[in-house]
């Protein structure tokens, strides 16, 4: 046999499309960045733009001089790209397998889902880091009667950090958290809504509610992210796949990897609800 019909570009594109479909946390990250990444250890520079001071000009002084322009304290935050996840598996005869209807889509789907879980879990676990602002010093018990108050208070804390009402806020909860939220707020269930994609299940108090199995947990505590799409930066510059012939096997195989990383860029725009249940 030969590898002449194997097209890694097609496989890579399919894996990337699958990643986009399956990643819940990735969708709500900041991905506009400076820098070109080609290998592990390269860095991405996220540009952080300062807000200019808004001053008042008295009407009677409209023809007078204004103050000198201020120097905006813009900055960049550097994020090294260190995370690699790879796959390697036998497929028998690649040429024959590609001729089997549905084989490639099935393999790509399974590969994408596996990679998506790894990437989403990594972003979700940022909620456990010291950079992530926690809703409370210790885990809070949430029940049907208290969960809405907890979400409202966390949102209020974002507002106090100058997250405006015009900025989209997303809450990504576990199956248990969303179930409890639905019990407390019946209107959350929007099965016929166009919102149902990328884990979205509805809206509450202007917050887009999403569900994921990859919410960070530790010692019975869940770490629910309530944030804007600028809070976490994410970069996945590289997806590679290629066929090979294992030296000691009479079979073809495929291996590949993705290169990525994520970092909290704006801690004031993310509030982590550290919660537990009965």
């Amino acid at each position: 046999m030969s590898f002449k019909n194997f097209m890694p570009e097609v496989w890579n594109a399919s894996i990337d499309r699958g990643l986009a479909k399956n990643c819940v946390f990735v969708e709500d990250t900041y991905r506009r960045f400076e820098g070109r990444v080609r290998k592990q250890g390269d860095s991405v520079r996220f540009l952080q733009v300062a807000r200019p001071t808004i001053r008042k000009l008295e009407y009677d002084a409209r023809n007078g001089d204004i103050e000198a322009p201020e120097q905006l304290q813009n900055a960049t935050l550097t994020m090294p790209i260190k995370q690699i996840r790879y796959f390697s598996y036998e497929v028998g005869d690649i040429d024959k397998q590609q001729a089997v209807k549905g084989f490639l889509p099935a393999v790509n789907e399974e590969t994408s889902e596996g990679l998506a879980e790894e990437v989403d879990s990594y972003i979700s676990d940022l909620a456990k880091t010291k950079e992530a602002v926690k809703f409370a010093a210790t885990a809070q018990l949430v029940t049907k009667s208290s969960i809405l108050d907890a979400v409202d208070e966390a949102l209020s804390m974002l507002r106090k950090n100058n997250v405006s009402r015009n900025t989209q806020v997303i809450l990504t909860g576990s199956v248990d958290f969303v179930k409890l939220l639905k019990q407390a707020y019946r209107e959350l269930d929007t099965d016929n809504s166009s919102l149902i994609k990328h884990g979205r299940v509805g809206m509450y108090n202007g917050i887009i509610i999403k569900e994921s199995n990859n919410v960070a947990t530790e010692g019975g505590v869940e770490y629910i992210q309530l944030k804007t799409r600028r809070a976490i930066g994410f970069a996945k510059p590289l997806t590679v796949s290629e066929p090979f012939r294992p030296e000691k096997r009479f079979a073809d195989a495929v291996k590949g990897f993705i290169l990525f990383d994520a970092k909290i860029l704006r801690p004031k725009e993310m509030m982590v609800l550290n919660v537990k249940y009965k």
Side-chain angles (χ1 to χ4, degrees), residues 41-108:
D42 284 356
S43 297
V44 167
R45 291 187 298 120
F46 292 93
L47 180 64
Q48 296 183 307
V49 180
R51 178 178 294 181
T53 303
I54 308 302
R55 297 183 171 91
K56 179 181 179 181
L57 180 64
E58 298 295 339
Y59 179 79
D60 292 341
R62 62 188 182 279
N63 294 321
D65 294 335
I66 63 173
E67 293 187 31
E70 66 179 315
Q71 295 288 327
L72 291 180
Q73 299 301 310
N74 299 327
T76 57
L77 189 64
T78 301
M79 179 179 72
I81 307 298
K82 297 181 179 180
Q83 301 301 315
I84 291 182
R85 302 293 186 273
Y86 76 93
F87 55 89
S88 178
Y89 50 81
E90 292 184 6
V91 293
D93 185 302
I94 286 183
D95 288 347
K96 290 182 180 179
Q97 295 287 23
Q98 288 190 132
V100 177
K101 185 177 181 180
F103 173 75
L104 279 185
V107 172
N108 282 331

Side-chain angles (χ1 to χ4, degrees), residues 128-181:
K128 297 189 295 185
T129 64
K130 63 181 181 180
E131 291 80 12
V133 180
K134 309 301 187 293
F135 171 69
T138 58
Q140 301 295 294
L141 177 68
V142 288
T143 63
K144 177 182 175 180
S145 60
S146 67
I147 190 169
L148 294 183
D149 288 339
V151 173
D152 290 342
E153 180 61 26
L155 179 62
S156 177
M157 294 168 78
L158 286 186
R159 299 290 185 227
K160 291 176 181 177
N161 286 340
N162 292 324
V163 173
S164 75
R165 295 185 180 277
N166 295 324
T167 301
Q168 199 168 71
V169 175
I170 306 97
L171 181 149
T172 306
S174 65
V175 173
D176 290 337
F177 189 90
V178 172
K179 179 181 178 180
L180 201 60
L181 199 56

Side-chain angles (χ1 to χ4, degrees), residues 50 115 131 137 148 158 185 252 278:
L115 292 172
E131 291 80 12
L148 294 183
L158 286 186
Y185 185 66
D252 296 330
K278 288 184 179 180

